[in-house]
Amino acid sequence: MTILPISACMIAKNEEKFIEECLKRLKPYHYEIVLVDTGSTDRTVEIAAKYTDKIYHFDWINDFSAARNYALAQANNDWILSIDCDEYLESIDAESLLKLMKQHPYDAGQILIRNRFTQDGQTSIENIRVSRFFNRNYYHFEGAIHEQVERKNTDSNGVHIHKVINQPKKVFTAPITLLHVGYDGSEEEMREKSLRNIALLEKELESTGADAYLYYQLGQSCMRLNDYEKAYEWFNLGLSMDVDSSQGYVQNMVESYGYCLLDLKRYAEALQLTGIYDIFAIRADFVFLMGLIYMNNAQFDKAIEEFKKATTMEQFSVEGINSYRANYNVGVIYECTGHIDEACEYYIKCGAFEPAQRRLLYLKPTGHK
């Protein structure tokens, strides 16, 4: 096994539910594990001590970046994998990663995070890429909440880093995959977390002024509280600014804005997203959303066209958007419009997707080919 000079850095507070599995999956790779505890009252530190002796305490000051940067400072290695306690390592291609570390010494590596969540009673996976692998000499965290990895212009002594000063952040794709299970918590846990995040985001907004990314994160937190009206307001503010459509969070914000409109039953207003179709229809998620918008406006032919197009696209975030979920909605439209054979054809294409299986059992109770 190729052992890389990497420190896995994390911060924790009352994470006994997740931390053992997180550390258990890291241990076989022999990376240094640095854990900074911000005030746990459960068994978090006790469990962590079975896997690392690099455990530190940091007084919580409502600033995630401050805690994460403190963790970076305790590491013995310069290359950092920043990981949360509710994230489980699924895979690392060590040989490829070593080559990339040599090719991109001043760049940040974007890892794949698979967010597991429940939607309509079904377990779903959303795939996102985030900058979490980097050399601490050139990068650190910024932002009190929903902190981001950003370029450093000076070293720890305040001396300008001439190789990177005034250069924009550059990224590369790091062959690392994590499974995020934090959304598996109870409704009350999710509610408390969202309310905490909103309070921190609003406080940061007061100090920074108008910021599209903060508006996006506020909207996301409100959506998790099912407060779609407030989420709509935050997304509206974010999208009214001069945003860069190539940024991943902007794509997500546009799609979340569309889902807010559907949840608020503002179907006609949602049709206005056709005006930015050519900009954002670069992955299946937006095309799938447009299918839902047409579907809710009773424009069924256009809806079917969008869902079928989604199945031909390789880029996606939520798993199933470009396959069984899109085919299922085509089946629903065909069934509702009386085209039963066509409906069954598309339900069959959904494979083991349970809602499709239920419809097939109802439409063809004696079985289907």
Side-chain angles (χ1 to χ4, degrees):
M1 176 188 290
T2 302
I3 300 177
L4 304 180
I6 293 172
S7 293
C9 293
M10 59 183 67
I11 62 175
K13 182 178 181 180
N14 294 336
E15 296 284 0
E16 67 177 7
K17 179 178 178 180
F18 303 111
I19 195 168
E20 179 121 41
E21 183 65 21
C22 174
L23 297 180
K24 187 187 297 182
R25 295 202 189 191
L26 278 172
K27 195 66 176 178
Y29 293 89
H30 303 287
Y31 303 145
E32 179 185 51
I33 297 173
V34 177
L35 182 131
V36 170
D37 187 76
T38 61
S40 293
T41 56
D42 63 1
R43 296 178 56 245
T44 294
V45 173
E46 176 189 341
I47 295 170
K50 296 191 297 181
Y51 298 89
T52 179
D53 58 0
K54 299 275 290 184
I55 299 175
Y56 303 89
H57 177 78
F58 182 84
D59 289 332
W60 182 242
I61 55 173
N62 290 328
D63 189 326
F64 281 90
S65 285
R68 290 199 189 277
N69 289 330
Y70 178 76
L72 304 187
Q74 312 315 311
N76 286 320
N77 300 307
D78 288 332
W79 279 97
I80 305 295
L81 171 62
S82 180
I83 183 171
D84 287 337
C85 297
D86 58 2
E87 294 173 343
Y88 302 155
L89 182 61
E90 289 194 320
S91 66
I92 289 183
D93 184 338
E95 292 186 5
S96 296
L97 187 59
L98 180 58
K99 292 178 183 177
L100 289 165
M101 290 163 65
K102 294 176 180 177
Q103 292 170 2
H104 302 273
Y106 310 120
D107 303 336
Q110 290 195 323
I111 70 173
L112 179 65
I113 296 185
R114 303 173 68 240
N115 288 315
R116 189 171 71 192
F117 64 100
T118 301
Q119 183 181 55
D120 301 326
Q122 299 291 316
T123 298
S124 300
I125 298 288
E126 177 190 31
N127 297 294
I128 61 170
R129 283 206 171 271
V130 293
S131 297
R132 292 276 206 88
F133 183 70
F134 55 91
N135 188 311
R136 66 176 177 179
N137 290 315
Y138 310 117
Y139 291 92
H140 65 167
F141 285 96
E142 294 181 7
I145 176 74
H146 292 296
E147 59 284 5
Q148 300 287 295
V149 171
E150 299 294 349
R151 177 83 77 184
K152 290 171 66 175
N153 288 331
T154 59
D155 63 19
S156 58
N157 296 316
V159 177
H160 287 304
I161 305 170
H162 297 292
K163 289 175 180 170
V164 298
I165 190 169
N166 296 327
Q167 291 184 17
K169 180 171 78 174
K170 296 180 180 179
V171 298
F172 64 94
T173 299
I176 303 172
T177 301
L178 304 179
L179 174 67
H180 175 225
V181 299
Y183 297 140
D184 290 352
S186 67
E187 287 188 17
E188 185 56 33
E189 288 173 334
M190 292 299 99
R191 176 177 172 79
E192 289 180 5
K193 185 176 181 180
S194 295
L195 289 172
R196 178 206 66 187
N197 288 350
I198 288 172
L200 291 174
L201 286 163
E202 289 181 333
K203 182 178 179 180
E204 186 166 2
L205 196 60
E206 288 178 5
S207 61
T208 64
D211 185 289
Y213 182 73
L214 293 178
Y215 290 144
Y216 160 68
Q217 291 293 357
L218 280 161
Q220 293 290 83
S221 293
C222 289
M223 283 193 77
R224 294 191 187 103
L225 292 172
N226 298 323
D227 187 350
Y228 301 114
E229 188 64 51
K230 192 63 181 177
Y232 165 83
E233 293 176 10
W234 288 123
F235 291 142
N236 220 12
L237 283 171
L239 293 172
S240 68
M241 298 182 69
D242 184 18
V243 292
D244 180 356
S245 62
S246 68
Q247 294 291 311
Y249 85 89
V250 176
Q251 179 90 31
N252 290 336
M253 181 158 53
V254 167
E255 291 164 4
S256 296
Y257 173 77
Y259 279 104
C260 270
L261 290 171
L262 293 180
D263 285 315
L264 293 169
K265 302 188 186 310
R266 299 179 185 177
Y267 305 133
E269 187 176 347
L271 281 172
Q272 294 177 8
L273 290 181
T274 57
I276 55 174
Y277 186 93
D278 291 341
I279 300 173
F280 290 99
I282 57 176
R283 68 179 187 180
D285 302 76
F286 183 84
V287 173
F288 181 90
L289 169 63
M290 289 307 306
L292 291 178
I293 290 172
Y294 284 129
M295 191 175 176
N296 281 281
N297 280 281
Q299 298 183 29
F300 299 128
D301 289 342
K302 289 184 177 180
I304 289 174
E305 182 181 341
E306 295 301 313
F307 290 132
K308 288 182 177 180
K309 179 180 177 180
T311 65
T312 69
M313 303 181 71
E314 293 184 2
Q315 289 190 47
F316 68 92
S317 174
V318 178
E319 292 184 4
I321 285 287
N322 65 339
S323 56
Y324 58 88
R325 293 186 185 277
N327 285 325
Y328 176 73
N329 282 332
V330 174
V332 168
I333 293 173
Y334 279 138
E335 181 182 352
C336 291
T337 54
H339 298 82
I340 304 304
D341 289 340
E342 290 88 344
C344 290
E345 175 189 347
Y346 276 86
Y347 288 146
I348 290 170
K349 289 184 178 184
C350 299
F353 188 47
E354 188 177 340
Q357 288 293 310
R358 288 199 300 267
R359 296 315 305 156
L360 281 169
L361 187 61
Y362 175 79
L363 295 173
K364 291 193 173 184
T366 57
H368 56 81
K369 296 182 181 179

